[in-house]
Amino acid sequence: IFFGLFLDAVGIHLHRCHVKGFTLLLTLTFLVFAILYISDYSLKHAMPHNILYKVVNQISSYYVVVEIPSARDKTLYSATSIKANQHVQHGAVQTSVTAESTVTKRISVDHVAYPRNYHFILDEPDTCHQQNPFLVLMVPVAPHQLEARNAIRSTWGNESTVQGKTVMTLFVVGLSGGADADNVQQQLQEESRQHRDLLQSNFVDTYANLTTKTMVIMDWLSTRCAQATFGMKVDSDMFLNVENLMTLLLAPNTPQQNYITGMVMWNQPVIRNQNSKWYVAEEMYPDPNYPVYLLGMGYVFSNDLPNKLVEVSKDIKPFNIEDAYVGACLKRLGVQPSNPPDPSQFRSYLEEYKRDEFLRVITTILNSPQQLIEFWHDVKTLS
Ligand SMILES: *[C@@H]1O[C@H](CO)[C@@H](O)[C@H](O)[C@H]1NC(C)=O
Ligand SMILES: *[C@@H]1O[C@H](CO)[C@@H](O)[C@H](O)[C@H]1NC(C)=O
């Protein structure tokens, strides 16, 4: 565009010199189109996409070899659909601009995902003052998943000082909605007394309420832990290499404001198939594509963002895809998700256990709490 304007200016100048107008106009038009074509080409082939496609190809190839827990199909679905969709990229960006302005007219702050409509039943309001963490790992987990919590407590959740910085791990649950809810609640209270690492909010803990859970995480960080430098939302079935994460966060060029990174998802189509677990109705989210977002399995952010996200979420109609919802909030804030310095460190699946790979990654998905303990011990004792 800049060059186009430049050529236009030259054109005007030449016109003044009485060069034959029509031929000149044709030549200039050709040149402008040539330049636009070249810049468009280079944009489409810019680094981040290339890197993503590599990641995507890996994910696709794992599809055939890995048994996928249901909650992870999304990764694969999303990954494959990126390819199918790349040709509509420019059109989609256009649409998203127009559609978003109609969706997100001021909506009421009492919408279901707005975290300040809920309150904490189990809380650790002073823990950040006492420990002054640099990084807080926030793990959404279902109330009954004690085994997953214990596996994390004995592995990456027990890394309290890394590279001289304090790291804290907290678990976030909602209310158990099952028939044994009273029992589960008693056990949670006992577990909380024992470990002092549980946060429980009073929404019903269901898959459909994950957006609320994520926003509750942001609310807790902004109201109870503003002194931390970084926060991370990391799922309970993840392997997390805290050492490598800390190296990334302590790198001199890692910003400590308006920064969020993980596995970046571009241009994901909204799923309109009503039988899908990720179905979102047009009334909930009219735009055909999601804004850029970070895959929910694990993303890390500067701790100024939680408060900004909670504030802006007042105006953004919630939908049940929690990671894409955070993407919509980030877009409204004008915060662009960052590609990690080495995108291959945020993995979904690794095909098989290889120690070298686990020493190199930041996140990867595991199949069970036992696997976490097993791999962790192997990595730790032999590294
Ligand atoms: C956490 O690590 C310490 C050593 O740093 C160890 O003594 C303790 O048993 C570990 N806790 C768990 C739950 O594994
Ligand atoms: C989400 O939580 C709210 C508040 O507890 C509850 O009313 C609602 O039924 C839950 N939604 C789903 C779909 O479970």
Side-chain angles (χ1 to χ4, degrees):
I1 286 159
F2 176 80
F3 275 103
L5 288 175
F6 172 70
L7 286 173
D8 277 348
V10 174
I12 290 160
H13 178 73
L14 290 177
H15 268 292
R16 289 208 185 114
C17 300
H18 306 288
V19 178
K20 219 170 187 182
F22 182 68
T23 324
L24 182 70
L25 205 65
L26 265 177
T27 318
L28 284 178
T29 313
F30 173 76
L31 274 172
V32 168
F33 271 103
I35 286 161
L36 284 179
Y37 179 81
I38 290 162
S39 45
D40 187 45
Y41 181 88
S42 60
L43 272 180
K44 275 184 185 163
H45 293 76
M47 280 292 280
H49 274 82
N50 275 340
I51 292 161
L52 180 68
Y53 288 146
K54 272 186 214 150
V55 177
V56 161
N57 285 335
Q58 276 159 351
I59 298 166
S60 315
S61 61
Y62 293 151
Y63 188 79
V64 282
V65 288
V66 179
E67 192 198 329
I68 303 123
S70 55
R72 293 298 172 195
D73 301 356
K74 182 179 165 199
T75 317
L76 300 158
Y77 184 92
S78 311
T80 39
S81 52
I82 293 170
K83 283 187 197 160
N85 241 20
Q86 55 186 301
H87 61 282
V88 293
Q89 190 181 338
H90 286 276
V93 169
Q94 289 294 323
T95 336
S96 72
V97 174
T98 26
E100 167 133 346
S101 52
T102 49
V103 199
T104 51
K105 294 237 172 68
R106 177 125 208 136
I107 54 160
S108 147
V109 295
D110 49 64
H111 70 66
V112 291
Y114 184 63
R116 289 174 188 161
N117 293 329
Y118 303 94
H119 65 266
F120 289 97
I121 297 167
L122 298 173
D123 199 357
E124 296 297 332
D126 302 320
T127 191
C128 283
H129 299 286
Q130 288 157 0
Q131 300 192 50
N132 197 23
F134 174 78
L135 167 67
V136 187
L137 306 172
M138 300 291 273
V139 188
V141 58
H144 67 271
Q145 289 177 315
L146 173 65
E147 206 190 346
R149 289 190 289 274
N150 281 340
I152 292 168
R153 284 179 181 124
S154 67
T155 57
W156 50 263
N158 196 25
E159 301 270 280
S160 50
T161 309
V162 181
Q163 300 189 22
K165 300 283 183 184
T166 303
V167 183
M168 252 170 55
T169 301
L170 294 165
F171 299 97
V172 183
V173 298
L175 295 172
S176 169
D180 57 346
D182 288 349
N183 241 336
V184 174
Q185 190 57 29
Q186 270 185 6
Q187 283 163 14
L188 282 174
Q189 270 157 358
E190 182 51 42
E191 188 184 337
S192 166
R193 273 191 291 274
Q194 199 184 335
H195 297 285
R196 309 240 61 118
D197 60 1
L198 285 185
L199 309 173
Q200 183 184 37
S201 177
N202 71 331
F203 64 88
V204 180
D205 201 313
T206 57
Y207 186 77
N209 269 347
L210 281 185
T211 300
T212 305
K213 200 178 218 176
T214 297
M215 295 315 289
V216 161
I217 286 174
M218 298 303 168
D219 180 42
W220 193 89
L221 286 170
S222 75
T223 56
R224 271 61 160 185
C225 206
Q227 59 271 72
T229 310
F230 289 100
M232 182 174 196
K233 184 251 174 192
V234 52
D235 285 347
S236 62
D237 56 352
M238 301 298 292
F239 177 90
L240 179 67
N241 189 320
V242 192
E243 197 72 41
N244 292 347
L245 173 60
M246 201 57 107
T247 302
L248 166 77
L249 297 180
L250 290 172
N253 46 2
T254 299
Q256 299 196 345
Q257 296 233 310
N258 292 328
Y259 179 72
I260 182 162
T261 195
M263 189 189 270
V264 185
M265 307 305 282
W266 278 276
N267 215 35
Q268 297 297 291
V270 178
I271 293 160
R272 304 294 191 199
N273 171 3
Q274 296 199 20
N275 299 320
S276 166
K277 191 173 183 178
W278 301 287
Y279 167 69
V280 174
E282 280 186 52
E283 304 89 80
M284 302 267 268
Y285 194 86
D287 188 342
N289 288 67
Y290 289 124
V292 182
Y293 68 92
L294 298 138
L295 200 64
M297 62 178 187
Y299 49 85
V300 60
F301 44 84
S302 56
N303 204 36
D304 58 319
L305 284 181
N307 192 50
K308 294 176 184 173
L309 287 167
V310 172
E311 283 302 313
V312 84
S313 79
K314 285 177 187 170
D315 298 339
I316 302 198
K317 194 170 164 179
F319 52 92
N320 51 310
I321 310 295
E322 59 92 16
D323 44 11
Y325 182 72
V326 172
C329 294
L330 289 169
K331 183 179 174 184
R332 176 59 71 90
L333 287 171
V335 173
Q336 180 73 29
S338 297
N339 230 7
D342 177 359
S344 72
Q345 284 190 306
F346 286 86
R347 304 294 288 258
S348 48
Y349 277 106
L350 286 167
E351 194 170 346
E352 54 182 324
Y353 178 72
K354 287 199 190 98
R355 186 183 306 131
D356 288 353
E357 287 289 314
F358 279 75
L359 283 170
R360 217 179 53 74
V361 296
I362 290 175
T363 60
T364 184
I365 301 169
L366 299 172
N367 290 321
S368 67
Q370 294 88 320
Q371 213 178 41
L372 170 57
I373 294 169
E374 185 190 323
F375 292 177
W376 184 266
H377 284 150
D378 190 66
V379 167
K380 281 287 151 179
T381 53
L382 293 153
S383 59

